[in-house]
């Protein structure tokens, strides 16, 4: 299959292809292996942070040649590694770049590279695969077309902190529903990833935590398994609770709360368990504070709504924790008039998240008032709950 940019982008880019871009591609065909290697290294330096150069090189046919060199057993390990690095850099450009790489069948080539004995080459292939799989244009099912791939990725988890970080990130982005959860679970994801939660690397811990967050979501089988798994003598729920502490990064607190929420909703943890009542719920209420970033407030409110949705006691507890109902009223104040006057970037950011904030607030209001009439009165129109008028929410 031809490996080209989409027609509109191709036409806009072709007129800007420079002599230097052509020079980079020509050097990939030199008969001297050392000159080819140097050409790839120079190309790597040229494309860093330069989307125009990336698009130029794709149009000129650099990708098929890079993939050819990457797959040749006669190529040196250093050359193959540098090719993987350049391809990863190209993938970090636009979505059209990723589409072009996919058209060139880059995923099978990189997966084949994972069979190499060389760790640096494996890490470079995984880093490129990670970049491609986290792109919204990449179908997640491409990870599951060959049943041996997941098994091999599980085996590579022990190789280095980089393989652990990249593989966990690939899993968390490619786990989109019960079928994917089942495949990963059946390949030993829980057992292989659990010990990464106590890694010395923050990135590894965080990616492992995200894996469990997507694996456990609406999945009783995974949740029931997680509650009984221990690492270094400590059960996973206890580890998650430690990650909820205020001194931990917000990203870690939120993701840990999502894990515990999923386990609670699945029945693996009781709704009156102290780790839910005294740790998870207060953490999620904190995430709704106006001191948090808008994205964090959205995620916090949606997760809290899911946690308390079916339990009246949790609903009552949430309604009286840290003035939550009053806090939610602030979700409808974006974008603010001050933003429009003083900070265009802030206004753009607020506009982008205004709908998400309102949607999250409505979800949480609905969960809060699902079973208790007294709570419903607290969020009735005219008090804290917003009223929709022809002029908007008031």
């Amino acid at each position: 299959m031809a490996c080209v940019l989409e027609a509109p982008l191709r036409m806009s880019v072709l007129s800007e292809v420079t002599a230097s871009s052509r020079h980079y591609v020509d050097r990939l065909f030199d008969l001297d292996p050392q000159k080819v290697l140097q050409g790839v290294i120079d190309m790597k330096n040229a494309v860093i942070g330069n989307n125009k150069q990336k698009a130029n090189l794709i149009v000129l046919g650099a990708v098929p040649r890079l993939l050819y060199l990457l797959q040749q057993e006669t190529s040196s390990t250093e050359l193959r590694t540098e090719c993987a690095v350049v391809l990863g850099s190209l993938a970090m450009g636009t979505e059209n770049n990723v589409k072009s790489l996919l058209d060139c069948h880059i995923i099978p080539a990189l997966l084949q590279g994972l069979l190499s004995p060389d760790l640096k080459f494996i890490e470079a292939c995984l880093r490129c695969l990670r970049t491609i799989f986290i792109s919204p244009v990449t179908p997640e099912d491409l990870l599951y077309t060959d049943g041996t791939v997941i098994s091999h990725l599980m085996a590579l988890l022990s190789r280095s902190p980089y393989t652990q970080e990249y593989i966990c990130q690939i899993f968390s982005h490619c786990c989109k529903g019960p079928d994917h959860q089942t495949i990963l679970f059946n390949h030993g994801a829980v057992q292989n990833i659990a010990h990464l939660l106590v890694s010395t690397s923050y990135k590894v811990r965080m990616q492992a935590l995200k894996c469990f967050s997507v694996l456990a979501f609406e999945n009783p089988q995974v949740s029931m398994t997680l509650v009984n798994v221990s690492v270094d003598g400590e059960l996973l729920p206890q580890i998650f609770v430690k990650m909820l502490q205020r001194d931990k990064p917000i990203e870690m607190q939120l993701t840990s709360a999502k894990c515990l929420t999923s386990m609670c909703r699945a029945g693996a943890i009781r709704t009156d368990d102290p780790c839910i009542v005294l740790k998870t719920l207060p953490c999620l209420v904190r995430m709704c504070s106006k001191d948090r970033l808008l994205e964090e407030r959205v995620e916090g409110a949606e997760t809290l709504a899911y946690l308390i949705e079916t339990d009246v006691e949790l609903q009552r507890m949430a309604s009286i924790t840290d003035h939550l109902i009053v806090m939610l009223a602030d979700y409808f104040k974006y974008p603010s008039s001050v933003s429009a006057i003083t900070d265009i970037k802030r206004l753009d950011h607020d506009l982008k998240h205004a709908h998400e904030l309102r949607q999250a607030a409505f979800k949480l209001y609905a969960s809060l008032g699902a079973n208790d009439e007294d709570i419903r009165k607290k969020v009735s129109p005219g008090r804290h709950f917003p009223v929709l008028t022809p002029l908007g929410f008031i």
Side-chain angles (χ1 to χ4, degrees):
M1 182 183 293
C3 178
V4 295
L5 290 175
E6 292 183 356
L9 181 60
R10 183 170 67 249
M11 294 302 296
S12 66
V13 170
L14 278 173
S15 60
E16 308 215 10
V17 173
T18 63
S20 62
S21 297
R22 168 62 67 182
H23 175 63
Y24 287 121
V25 178
D26 289 342
R27 293 170 69 187
L28 301 181
F29 293 87
D30 199 290
L31 297 178
D32 186 341
Q34 283 302 313
K35 290 183 178 178
V36 174
L37 174 60
Q38 189 58 51
V40 175
I41 293 173
D42 291 344
M43 182 182 290
K44 175 183 68 176
N45 295 330
V47 299
I48 294 175
N50 190 333
N51 282 340
K52 180 190 286 188
Q53 186 70 279
K54 292 175 184 179
N56 286 350
L57 291 171
I58 292 174
V59 168
L60 288 168
V63 175
R65 184 60 180 174
L66 288 168
L67 286 172
Y68 173 81
L69 295 170
L70 181 143
Q71 296 177 86
Q72 289 303 298
E73 293 183 4
T74 55
S75 297
S76 68
T77 301
E78 184 179 6
L79 174 58
R80 298 173 76 190
T81 303
E82 291 294 345
C83 286
V85 171
V86 174
L87 289 165
S89 184
L90 295 177
M92 293 178 70
T94 66
E95 290 183 0
N96 280 313
N97 287 8
V98 177
K99 290 179 182 178
S100 297
L101 293 171
L102 292 173
D103 287 342
C104 290
H105 307 292
I106 188 173
I107 290 179
L110 292 171
L111 291 175
Q112 185 67 27
L114 299 182
L115 299 176
S116 166
D118 187 84
L119 180 57
K120 292 296 182 185
F121 179 51
I122 289 173
E123 290 174 345
C125 288
L126 282 173
R127 186 162 52 246
C128 186
L129 281 167
R130 180 271 313 268
T131 303
I132 291 170
F133 274 118
I134 65 176
S135 170
V137 303
T138 304
E140 297 85 9
D141 285 337
L142 290 177
L143 182 66
Y144 305 96
T145 52
D146 183 344
T148 65
V149 169
I150 302 299
S151 297
H152 189 60
L153 289 173
M154 292 294 178
L156 290 176
L157 279 170
S158 62
R159 295 295 300 274
S160 76
Y162 289 120
T163 65
Q164 293 165 353
E165 176 191 346
Y166 303 147
I167 291 171
C168 284
Q169 196 167 2
I170 290 170
F171 285 162
S172 63
H173 277 273
C174 293
C175 187
K176 303 292 185 182
D179 290 342
H180 296 163
Q181 289 172 327
T182 298
I183 292 172
L184 293 174
F185 179 80
N186 288 341
H187 279 83
V190 172
Q191 294 77 13
N192 283 295
I193 296 173
H195 72 281
L196 302 183
L197 290 170
V198 295
S199 168
T200 56
S201 165
Y202 171 77
K203 290 183 178 180
V204 171
R205 293 199 307 276
M206 196 62 237
Q207 294 305 328
L209 189 59
K210 288 181 178 180
C211 264
F212 285 127
S213 174
V214 297
L215 282 169
F217 181 65
E218 295 185 342
N219 193 308
Q221 182 184 31
V222 174
S223 295
M224 292 294 186
T225 301
L226 290 181
V227 78
N228 293 313
V229 173
S230 64
V231 179
D232 294 343
E234 202 167 24
L235 291 171
L236 287 194
Q238 296 173 314
I239 295 176
F240 293 151
V241 167
K242 285 185 176 180
M243 292 177 166
L244 288 175
Q245 295 175 357
R246 292 172 182 261
D247 62 337
K248 296 295 188 291
I250 296 300
E251 177 187 33
M252 180 171 281
Q253 292 184 48
L254 259 174
T255 311
S256 300
K258 290 171 74 173
C259 290
L260 290 163
T261 294
S262 292
M263 294 168 72
C264 179
R265 285 299 306 266
I269 300 176
R270 291 169 54 93
T271 56
D272 60 354
D273 190 293
C275 77
I276 297 297
V277 176
L278 302 179
K279 300 294 182 179
T280 307
L281 188 147
C283 172
L284 290 172
V285 172
R286 287 201 307 273
M287 296 303 124
C288 298
S289 166
K290 63 181 179 180
D291 297 331
R292 301 264 54 88
L293 298 176
L294 300 188
E295 301 92 323
E296 295 163 355
R297 296 172 71 185
V298 169
E299 193 170 2
E302 289 183 341
T303 306
L304 181 57
Y306 181 55
L307 173 65
I308 69 174
E309 185 178 17
T310 60
D311 189 272
V312 65
E313 289 305 319
L314 289 179
Q315 292 161 8
R316 289 169 179 162
M317 191 167 302
S319 70
I320 60 173
T321 301
D322 290 346
H323 307 288
L324 175 64
I325 294 175
V326 176
M327 244 192 287
L328 285 180
D330 196 55
Y331 275 51
F332 297 88
K333 296 181 180 178
Y334 296 90
S336 65
S337 57
V338 175
S339 299
I341 298 172
T342 63
D343 191 339
I344 297 301
K345 287 186 178 180
R346 168 72 182 278
L347 174 62
D348 182 64
H349 180 265
D350 287 1
L351 282 169
K352 179 181 177 182
H353 293 285
H355 174 70
E356 294 178 359
L357 281 165
R358 292 190 183 109
Q359 189 176 47
F362 280 130
K363 286 180 181 177
L364 186 45
Y365 276 132
S367 289
L368 283 166
N371 301 103
D372 191 296
E373 182 62 30
D374 290 336
I375 299 177
R376 278 196 287 271
K377 290 178 181 178
K378 292 181 182 179
V379 297
S380 61
R383 297 194 65 176
H384 303 298
F385 193 84
V387 179
L388 181 60
T389 73
L391 298 178
F393 291 102
I394 60 172

